Amino acid sequence: QVQLVESGGGLVQPGGSLRLSCAASGFTVDYYAIGWFRQAPGKEREGVSCISSSDGSTYYADSVKGRFTISRDNAKNTWYLQMNSLKPEDTAVYYCATVPLLAGATCSVRPVRYDSWGQGTQVTVSS
């Protein structure tokens, strides 16, 4: 069973940066997607970014494009979400999740597509 552990959340001023980490273990498939999602109070969970281990392709939601970057460290089996130019509307609990992929498949940021989730880490952007 895949286990995911997020870290790196915290309180940051508007315009600041944070880097979230997602440490993964227990993969038993060749290809998988890693997705980052967030959920603000009273709102539905939304996809932020994802990366496919099959072809390395990435996807970003329009709301974070140009400010967030997803990356991975294969040696550490850890994925990162670098968040720059943070805005108050980025405040949410951030989750990483994973799902197996077929060879050559790209990733999706639809939460329903993912079957293993981390516990989440709080990001608060406020002055």
Side-chain angles (χ1 to χ4, degrees), residues 63-83:
S63 58
V64 306
K65 202 171 293 183
R67 299 189 299 123
F68 290 11
T69 303
I70 191 170
S71 63
R72 60 183 174 181
D73 183 332
N74 289 332
K76 296 182 179 179
N77 233 21
T78 299
W79 284 259
Y80 304 98
L81 186 68
Q82 177 67 43
M83 306 186 297

Side-chain angles (χ1 to χ4, degrees), residues 41-123:
K43 294 188 177 181
E44 292 187 353
R45 190 168 297 188
E46 65 170 339
V48 173
S49 180
C50 66
I51 184 168
S52 165
S53 76
S54 177
D55 63 1
S57 61
T58 58
Y59 175 86
Y60 297 93
D62 287 343
S63 58
V64 306
K65 202 171 293 183
R67 299 189 299 123
F68 290 11
T69 303
I70 191 170
S71 63
R72 60 183 174 181
D73 183 332
N74 289 332
K76 296 182 179 179
N77 233 21
T78 299
W79 284 259
Y80 304 98
L81 186 68
Q82 177 67 43
M83 306 186 297
N84 298 329
S85 302
L86 282 162
K87 305 174 182 180
E89 51 263 44
D90 294 319
T91 295
V93 178
Y94 283 71
Y95 301 87
C96 65
T98 189
V99 63
L101 290 179
L102 298 176
T106 57
C107 61
S108 165
V109 289
R110 292 182 61 194
V112 69
R113 295 283 182 91
Y114 289 75
D115 55 16
S116 296
W117 292 79
Q119 82 289 351
T121 185
Q122 177 70 47
V123 172

